[in-house]
Amino acid sequence: MTFSVFYRQEMLAKLKAQQYDLLIIGGGITGAGIALDAASRGLKTALIEKNDFAFGTSSRSTKLIHGGLRYLKQLEFALVKEVGSERAIVHQLAPHLVVPEKMLLPLYEKRGLGYWLTSIGLKIYDWLAGVKAEDQRRMLTKPQTLQYEPLLKTDDVKGGAIYAEYRTDDARLTIEIAKMAFAKGADLINYVSVVDFIYTDEQVTGVKVTDETTGDEFNINATTVVNAAGPWVDELRLINKSKTTKHLHLTKGVHIVIPYHRLPVRQAIYFDVPDGRMIFAIPRGRITYVGTTDTDYSGDRNVVFATNEDARYLIEGINGTFPSVHLTLADIESSWAGLRPLIHEEGKSASELSRKDEIFESPTGLISIAGGKLTGYRKMAERVVDLVIRKKFEDRDLPPCTTHLLALTPNRLNDVAAVAEYKKQVVARIATLGLKGEDAASLIHLYGRQTDQIIDRMMANRTADPDLDLLLAELWYLLHHEMIVKANDFFVRRTGLLYFDLPRLVKLLDPALQSMAHYLNWDIDRLREERSAMEEIIQQTLLFKN
Ligand code: FAD
């Protein structure tokens, strides 16, 4: 069996037949991380996702593996230490996907922490995270800061700082972890939702599920069930009658996407906006994305989008910091919005809430985990699996967590130098195919060495349109290896085209849909359905224009 929709029936049959040690609800980074940790320690593990893997918050973050500088301001030293140290580990596990990124922090006369406090703060940040000497923060004079970023407003910049973070693609990180969990023996499936729990002697011993592709209902049996449903955690706690006064507080965060030539920042930058918050501008290939907002949310969790007010807030923040760009809403090419599943604290506003994770155990044995960050997924998983083993499997001689040593892709590129060397090879290979150097960079960032198989496929199936050939080769690879079920799985989460190259998506949508219809035996009605679902998703990224 491979991790593919072509084996969906076999996977469903396994899920119905097996008695699992651990069943995880939710295929975001938290659930995928737990599945990898549990399977690699020898637990018989299953993971159920009601939509696509990374459909929830795990495809809508700022896409940074970062220590969370602002948590230092909130004196959350333990959180900064844990996620700060995790950055280097996650980078080691997938150097093509978790890429070092220097962050520029401009400092102003009358705003922010000021030069000396920032200098000390960043020193503590580096120290807590164990950052190597050559990567530690560097304070900059005003001329140096303006040399790093000539677009900055010159009059009130006082100086700046450069410090180390990492950039990633959250949905790809999630899918690679899910694939590795599968390789270690876990059974995972998307488009199956948990609708209720099964109880034996008032203890949870499995779940009732619905296959969202057919409407079929069935049961899955498991000794332990973990609820890692992100913003939906409380929905499941409610079904389990275990939602207590400790509950989730959802806050919405929006990012907008601007063509790079309209916001040509030289590197990632983290800057103050007038209300005292800070936002990121991060260049990525042909675009720069900017975010995020942080506002309380109580709407539909399944459809979250940027409003006109969200987009205007970010545009004003950009124009106030980079006065020569004069952006308007018309410059926004795409957007995304996600929900932070934070733990409610009485009297605290959205941005004051802690980003710490927390585990809740219900009297019926359901374990729920919420809060946390993309960056801390591995440690969150370790804590959950340690707890599961302590509660139910202490009699087995199971090893401790080893995920800090488990590369996230087979045949990993070992470090930044190996990524650069591999890029040279890919550039040489694709030059004869009519593709450019940028294509090599983005393919390697998405797929690492899996790029070879995509290029092999492309070489064997060439037409007069190299751009289309490449997209169809990616589609072929991802259909066979990444459990794509619907068109938006491909366009939104596996390739990120919806956010990072919407014009290319629009151009190649129809031939890609035709190709999917061919592989997946879609009839004309299904093809129409998939097309209109894609049109609706594209519309959602532009709803702020209304
Ligand atoms: P999710 O990714 O939401 O996964 C939960 C999954 O459960 C969903 O896919 C959902 O479909 C599924 N599910 C729900 N109900 C059911 C059911 N009944 N049956 C089956 N499946 C179900 N962190 C960082 O480290 N770096 C950042 O740069 C960063 N930026 C952020 C920016 C924003 C705007 C936001 C909102 C968050 C950001 N975070 C960041 C935090 C990080 O993204 C989240 O902590 C993380 O993605 C949460 O993952 P999760 O798996 O817990 O939840």
Side-chain angles (χ1 to χ4, degrees):
M1 204 191 311
T2 61
F3 194 74
S4 162
V5 67
F6 298 124
Y7 289 92
R8 189 171 174 88
Q9 293 316 317
E10 286 84 342
M11 184 60 87
L12 287 167
K14 265 184 105 177
L15 290 165
K16 288 173 193 172
Q18 306 272 10
Q19 166 68 40
Y20 290 98
D21 295 330
L22 172 62
L23 181 136
I24 300 145
I25 309 170
I29 192 131
T30 309
I34 297 168
L36 175 56
D37 190 318
S40 61
R41 293 205 221 183
L43 289 177
K44 201 166 181 48
T45 304
L47 181 147
I48 309 300
E49 164 56 52
K50 75 169 175 172
N51 207 294
D52 182 29
F53 302 108
F55 165 80
T57 311
S58 300
S59 54
R60 303 153 195 251
S61 75
T62 309
K63 305 177 197 298
L64 290 174
I65 294 299
H66 66 152
L69 186 56
R70 75 186 196 83
Y71 313 134
L72 207 54
K73 255 193 198 174
Q74 295 165 325
L75 306 179
E76 299 223 39
F77 296 114
L79 178 66
V80 174
K81 185 170 168 40
E82 179 169 301
V83 286
S85 322
E86 276 300 295
R87 297 178 304 178
I89 296 175
V90 188
H91 164 65
Q92 266 302 308
L93 301 178
H96 69 283
L97 184 54
V98 179
V99 185
E101 176 93 36
K102 289 282 185 219
M103 190 71 70
L104 175 65
L105 184 71
L107 300 169
Y108 299 93
E109 284 295 345
K110 298 186 190 77
R111 293 186 264 150
L113 280 183
Y115 190 90
W116 290 111
L117 267 181
T118 303
S119 173
I120 295 164
L122 284 172
K123 191 92 198 151
I124 296 173
Y125 188 64
D126 283 343
W127 174 73
L128 285 171
V131 174
K132 285 188 284 186
E134 65 268 29
D135 285 333
Q136 286 181 3
R137 70 101 176 88
R138 204 154 66 79
M139 298 307 290
L140 306 174
T141 61
K142 176 169 178 162
Q144 284 171 326
T145 308
L146 293 173
Q147 209 172 352
Y148 267 97
E149 190 43 80
L151 288 177
L152 284 169
K153 194 151 113 196
T154 49
D155 42 1
D156 64 348
V157 170
K158 201 162 116 187
I162 283 280
Y163 68 102
E165 294 284 23
Y166 294 85
R167 177 170 57 81
T168 191
D169 182 307
D170 46 9
R172 289 232 44 98
L173 185 61
T174 305
I175 195 77
E176 294 296 6
I177 297 169
K179 280 159 65 182
M180 194 45 76
F182 175 77
K184 293 285 169 196
D187 292 335
L188 301 92
I189 199 157
N190 49 5
Y191 295 100
V192 171
S193 58
V194 172
V195 291
D196 205 349
F197 295 94
I198 303 168
Y199 299 89
T200 310
D201 298 332
E202 296 180 7
Q203 291 297 296
V204 172
T205 52
V207 291
K208 293 180 193 289
V209 301
T210 303
D211 178 347
E212 296 294 336
T213 66
T214 58
D216 287 353
E217 293 173 1
F218 62 96
N219 292 349
I220 308 175
N221 299 310
T223 308
T224 325
V225 175
V226 166
N227 169 13
W232 295 264
V233 154
D234 276 352
E235 193 174 278
L236 287 152
R237 291 172 75 216
L238 211 57
I239 296 174
N240 178 244
K241 299 187 179 58
S242 59
K243 190 176 160 203
T244 53
T245 44
K246 201 125 211 199
H247 59 92
L248 291 195
H249 183 138
L250 301 182
T251 80
K252 183 176 80 164
V254 162
H255 290 82
I256 54 173
V257 177
I258 313 285
Y260 182 73
H261 68 92
R262 290 291 292 119
L263 186 56
V265 287
R266 292 193 173 170
Q267 74 286 299
I269 174 163
Y270 190 32
F271 57 95
D272 294 89
V273 286
D275 66 359
R277 292 191 57 255
M278 295 195 68
I279 59 182
F280 292 100
I282 300 174
R284 176 172 159 158
R286 55 173 294 288
I287 60 100
T288 301
Y289 64 91
V290 180
T292 171
T293 58
D294 199 355
T295 50
D296 288 336
Y297 188 81
S298 57
D300 183 350
R301 278 161 294 178
N302 298 302
V303 187
V304 190
F305 56 87
T307 62
N308 184 275
E309 195 185 340
D310 297 326
R312 274 191 290 112
Y313 171 87
L314 293 172
I315 289 284
E316 276 162 27
I318 297 168
N319 288 339
T321 306
F322 311 105
S324 60
V325 298
H326 303 296
L327 295 187
T328 68
L329 290 189
D331 288 303
I332 304 177
E333 188 175 287
S334 183
S335 72
W336 67 88
L339 299 177
R340 300 177 184 84
L342 305 175
I343 318 290
H344 180 74
E345 292 169 76
E346 214 46 57
K348 288 211 174 166
S349 71
S351 9
E352 287 167 343
L353 289 172
S354 169
R355 268 55 179 167
K356 274 197 301 253
D357 58 285
E358 203 162 322
I359 296 174
F360 311 107
E361 289 180 65
S362 87
T364 58
L366 176 69
I367 296 170
S368 300
I369 176 147
K373 302 205 37 87
L374 204 64
T375 310
Y377 80 90
R378 216 186 51 77
K379 293 304 283 182
M380 287 165 71
E382 180 179 354
R383 283 192 277 278
V384 169
V385 178
D386 281 349
L387 175 67
V388 168
I389 291 175
R390 243 187 353 262
K391 282 176 72 96
K392 299 280 176 165
F393 304 105
E394 205 135 54
D395 54 327
R396 293 193 203 166
D397 194 16
L398 296 172
C401 170
T402 54
T403 52
H404 57 294
L405 303 171
L406 274 180
L408 294 182
T409 49
N411 201 8
R412 163 187 52 165
L413 293 156
N414 283 333
D415 50 29
V416 174
V419 174
E421 187 50 42
Y422 181 61
K423 186 175 161 203
K424 281 190 209 150
Q425 293 167 23
V426 172
V427 168
R429 275 193 87 193
I430 65 172
T432 57
L433 300 173
L435 299 176
K436 301 179 289 291
E438 303 96 87
D439 295 317
S442 74
L443 281 168
I444 295 167
H445 184 47
L446 293 174
Y447 309 117
R449 271 200 218 273
Q450 298 164 100
T451 301
D452 281 340
Q453 292 171 66
I454 293 169
I455 297 173
D456 290 346
R457 174 74 186 180
M458 185 180 167
M459 282 179 153
N461 293 273
R462 293 179 67 183
T463 67
D465 183 351
D467 196 26
L468 175 62
D469 296 345
L470 175 61
L471 191 85
L472 295 184
E474 287 177 76
L475 177 61
W476 169 85
Y477 182 78
L478 299 173
L479 275 167
H480 286 84
H481 299 279
E482 297 199 352
M483 219 182 262
I484 293 178
V485 173
K486 298 187 180 182
N488 76 79
D489 305 343
F490 175 67
F491 288 112
V492 184
R493 288 164 296 278
R494 301 300 181 281
T495 61
L497 281 181
L498 179 73
Y499 307 133
F500 304 117
D501 203 348
L502 190 55
R504 183 165 181 241
L505 186 166
V506 171
K507 185 178 110 194
L508 300 177
L509 178 61
D510 280 322
L513 285 173
Q514 291 291 349
S515 179
M516 284 190 87
H518 162 74
Y519 285 116
L520 300 175
N521 283 323
W522 289 348
D523 60 18
I524 193 74
D525 289 339
R526 174 72 192 270
L527 189 57
R528 273 202 206 107
E529 213 177 278
E530 291 286 340
R531 196 177 200 297
S532 62
M534 278 310 303
E535 279 166 4
E536 201 177 318
I537 288 169
I538 294 170
Q539 281 295 317
Q540 272 167 19
T541 70
L542 302 172
L543 274 177
F544 61 84
K545 300 210 174 191
N546 297 336

